[in-house]
């Protein structure tokens, strides 16, 4: 379950039951007085403010069917940062208005609001300037392209230029694959004078400093795959050092790592597991049978083959888990640790391609 519907009234419970019919992965929490013994319906335990504290970070989206004032007071103690707060939506119990209250862009509240309003034939209430003016905020673009924003203060400055109708240039290493507002222009920075632009958006996995005097934000596409092989019990700090050294030599940001990949025989290797956790990325395990299908494309070792059944690890696991991506670093050896780096391949849907 990633969505919670919360209500305190009989009418709200009835509306909540209706939403449950149309919304996947949702649970309804209601006042015990109006509890209905149905699947995915639960009782609110204790005072509403304390109860919200228990579930605030448990769900991606909180859908309240109650007065906005109650909701604001209930969530206020738990709001931290728009990067991590859940989407918060408020409905009246008649289902006439659906309000996007918190985490409109990154949390997805605006998108959820429109979907719920469509289900109920209700009025969606969205107040973020970029949506009202039918333009594009930096955080929305980042979410659409699966990019990490390097600095949210920079994103706010550049979004302000966009909303105010000022010209913003986009310098991107990946295909954007969507129609942009008229004042957002894809440019080749080397050949385009920048005086006419009030801000810039760089979309790149390369390590760069702020490249212009104007307001600038850097978006990091999640397109770098790290393949790892190692001897048993290699410590996590040595694995992190090997990854960092490889990325520095390639001039690539750690923020663009999509995942780490290794072979199934290493799935319980603590150093690799901890490295993925420290970097905040998934660990992808590749079956040896899959590696056997492609291992002849890579330089291997008979010694490794005798030990684990395949002749290579870091290159084939990165290749296989990167959608047949582009190798940007062949296997590099660091005292019992091997690192290969791939840039993710072209998406199958054709909406995104690699320009590097």
């Amino acid at each position: 379950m990633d969505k919670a519907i919360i209500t305190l009234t009989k009418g709200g419970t009835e509306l909540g039951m209706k939403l449950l019919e149309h919304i996947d992965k949702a649970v309804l929490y209601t006042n015990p007085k109006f509890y209905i013994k149905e699947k995915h319906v639960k009782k609110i335990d204790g005072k509403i403010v304390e109860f919200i504290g228990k579930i605030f970070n448990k769900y991606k989206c909180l859908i309240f069917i109650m007065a906005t004032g109650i909701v604001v007071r209930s969530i206020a103690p738990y709001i931290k940062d728009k990067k991590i707060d859940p989407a918060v939506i408020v409905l009246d119990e008649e289902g006439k208005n659906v309000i996007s209250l918190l985490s409109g862009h990154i949390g997805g509240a605006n998108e959820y609001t429109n979907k719920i309003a469509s289900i109920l034939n209700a009025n969606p209430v969205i107040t973020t300037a970029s949506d009202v003016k039918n333009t594009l905020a930096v955080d929305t673009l980042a979410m659409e392209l699966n990019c990490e924003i390097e600095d949210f203060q920079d994103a706010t400055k550049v979004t302000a230029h966009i909303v105010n109708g000022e010209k913003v240039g986009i310098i991107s290493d990946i295909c954007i694959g969507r129609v942009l507002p008229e004042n957002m222009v894809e440019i080749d920075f080397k050949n385009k004078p920048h005086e006419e632009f009030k801000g810039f958006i760089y979309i790149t996995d390369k390590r760069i400093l702020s490249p212009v005097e104007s307001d600038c934000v850097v978006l990091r596409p999640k397109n770098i795959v790290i393949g790892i092989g190692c001897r048993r019990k290699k410590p996590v700090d040595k694995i992190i050092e090997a990854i960092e050294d490889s990325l520095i030599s390639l001039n690539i940001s750690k923020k663009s790592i999509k995942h780490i990949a290794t072979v199934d025989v290493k799935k319980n290797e603590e150093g690799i597991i901890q490295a993925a956790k420290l970097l905040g990325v998934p660990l992808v395990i590749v079956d040896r049978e899959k590696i056997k299908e492609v291992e002849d494309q890579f330089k291997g070792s008979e010694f490794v083959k005798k030990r684990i059944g395949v002749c290579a690890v870091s290159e084939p696991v990165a290749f296989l888990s990167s959608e047949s991506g582009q190798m940007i670093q062949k296997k590099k050896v660091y005292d019992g640790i091997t690192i290969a780096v791939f840039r993710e391949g072209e998406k199958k849907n054709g909406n995104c391609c690699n320009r590097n």
Side-chain angles (χ1 to χ4, degrees):
M1 300 295 172
D2 60 12
K3 292 176 280 293
I5 305 167
I6 307 108
T7 185
L8 297 170
T9 65
K10 182 180 179 181
T13 302
E14 292 172 353
L15 181 59
M17 291 298 296
K18 183 177 179 180
L19 287 176
L20 279 181
E21 296 175 6
H22 298 278
I23 300 176
D24 294 330
K25 298 180 181 179
V27 60
L28 171 62
Y29 290 98
T30 185
N31 188 320
K33 287 168 53 177
F34 308 112
Y35 171 72
I36 303 169
K37 194 173 182 180
E38 295 281 355
K39 188 179 181 181
H40 303 321
V41 179
K42 299 182 179 182
K43 298 176 185 178
I44 291 175
D45 179 24
K47 294 181 180 179
I48 186 67
V49 175
E50 295 171 355
F51 170 74
I52 296 305
K54 295 176 184 176
I55 69 167
F56 191 74
N57 293 307
K58 185 178 178 181
Y59 299 95
K60 292 181 179 179
C61 180
L62 303 179
I63 303 165
F64 291 88
I65 307 175
M66 61 184 74
T68 306
I70 298 173
V71 177
V72 171
R73 291 183 179 89
S74 298
I75 68 174
Y78 313 110
I79 297 172
K80 292 182 179 178
D81 192 298
K82 68 179 182 178
K83 297 190 290 292
I84 59 173
D85 290 333
V88 176
I89 296 166
V90 183
L91 288 77
D92 60 274
E93 68 173 53
E94 294 294 322
K96 293 181 179 179
N97 298 290
V98 186
I99 305 170
S100 174
L101 187 66
L102 187 72
S103 296
H105 290 150
I106 294 176
N110 291 354
E111 183 179 357
Y112 286 128
T113 292
N114 283 319
K115 287 180 178 178
I116 293 171
S118 178
I119 291 168
L120 300 175
N121 194 26
N123 176 42
V125 181
I126 297 173
T127 58
T128 43
S130 58
D131 293 272
V132 171
K133 293 193 173 185
N134 197 30
T135 185
L136 183 63
V138 171
D139 49 5
T140 301
L141 180 63
M143 185 171 61
E144 289 181 3
L145 298 178
N146 189 30
C147 290
E148 181 174 338
I149 298 171
E150 190 147 279
D151 188 308
F152 274 81
Q153 290 185 338
D154 290 342
T156 299
K157 292 176 184 178
V158 175
T159 295
H161 290 304
I162 297 168
V163 170
N164 291 330
E166 296 169 327
K167 209 163 187 179
V168 169
I170 301 178
I171 305 97
S172 180
D173 290 337
I174 65 172
C175 294
I176 293 174
R178 61 110 70 211
V179 176
L180 295 168
E182 290 185 1
N183 63 325
M184 297 177 72
V185 183
E186 283 196 77
I187 60 173
D188 181 346
F189 186 72
K190 294 177 182 178
N191 302 320
K192 187 86 173 180
H194 70 261
E195 289 82 3
E196 62 182 292
F197 295 96
K198 294 294 184 181
F200 292 90
I201 301 171
Y202 277 74
I203 307 173
T204 180
D205 56 37
K206 297 180 180 67
R207 297 169 70 242
I208 58 171
L209 299 174
S210 186
V212 290
E213 293 180 1
S214 306
D215 290 333
C216 169
V217 62
V218 179
L219 306 187
R220 299 298 188 187
K222 296 291 187 179
N223 62 349
I224 297 298
V225 172
I226 308 292
I228 299 181
C230 71
R231 291 201 299 260
R232 290 183 61 205
K233 297 184 178 180
K234 294 301 291 186
V236 61
D237 59 328
K238 295 299 181 182
I239 293 174
I240 292 289
E241 284 178 15
I243 292 171
E244 290 180 341
D245 181 81
S246 291
L247 294 181
I248 289 170
S249 67
L250 293 166
N251 196 35
I252 287 176
S253 169
K254 285 192 296 185
K255 291 181 181 291
S256 280
I257 299 175
K258 182 179 182 181
H259 64 254
I260 286 173
T262 194
V263 64
D264 55 4
V265 75
K266 292 293 180 181
K267 65 182 179 182
N268 295 319
E269 190 69 46
E270 194 61 27
I272 296 177
I273 294 170
Q274 291 303 317
K277 287 181 179 178
L278 287 173
L279 292 169
V281 298
L283 175 59
V284 174
I285 304 299
V286 180
D287 192 276
R288 276 168 289 179
E289 294 304 314
K290 291 289 184 184
I291 293 176
K292 288 176 183 177
E293 296 174 6
V294 300
E295 65 179 343
D296 60 345
Q297 300 178 37
F298 306 99
K299 186 177 179 179
S301 161
E302 286 302 316
F303 174 76
V304 173
K305 185 152 190 163
K306 286 178 182 177
R307 295 199 66 178
I308 65 172
V310 290
C311 65
V313 171
S314 59
E315 291 177 349
V317 298
F319 171 76
L320 289 166
S321 66
S322 66
E323 300 185 61
S324 302
Q326 171 195 4
M327 183 190 289
I328 55 177
Q329 177 181 286
K330 293 182 179 181
K331 176 178 68 178
K332 195 170 182 179
V333 181
Y334 296 87
D335 186 25
I337 301 167
T338 58
I339 303 291
V341 184
F342 275 64
R343 184 175 281 117
E344 193 172 45
E346 184 175 339
K347 300 294 184 184
K348 303 300 181 184
N349 61 18
N351 289 332
C352 185
C353 63
N354 200 305
R355 292 180 175 178
N356 296 285

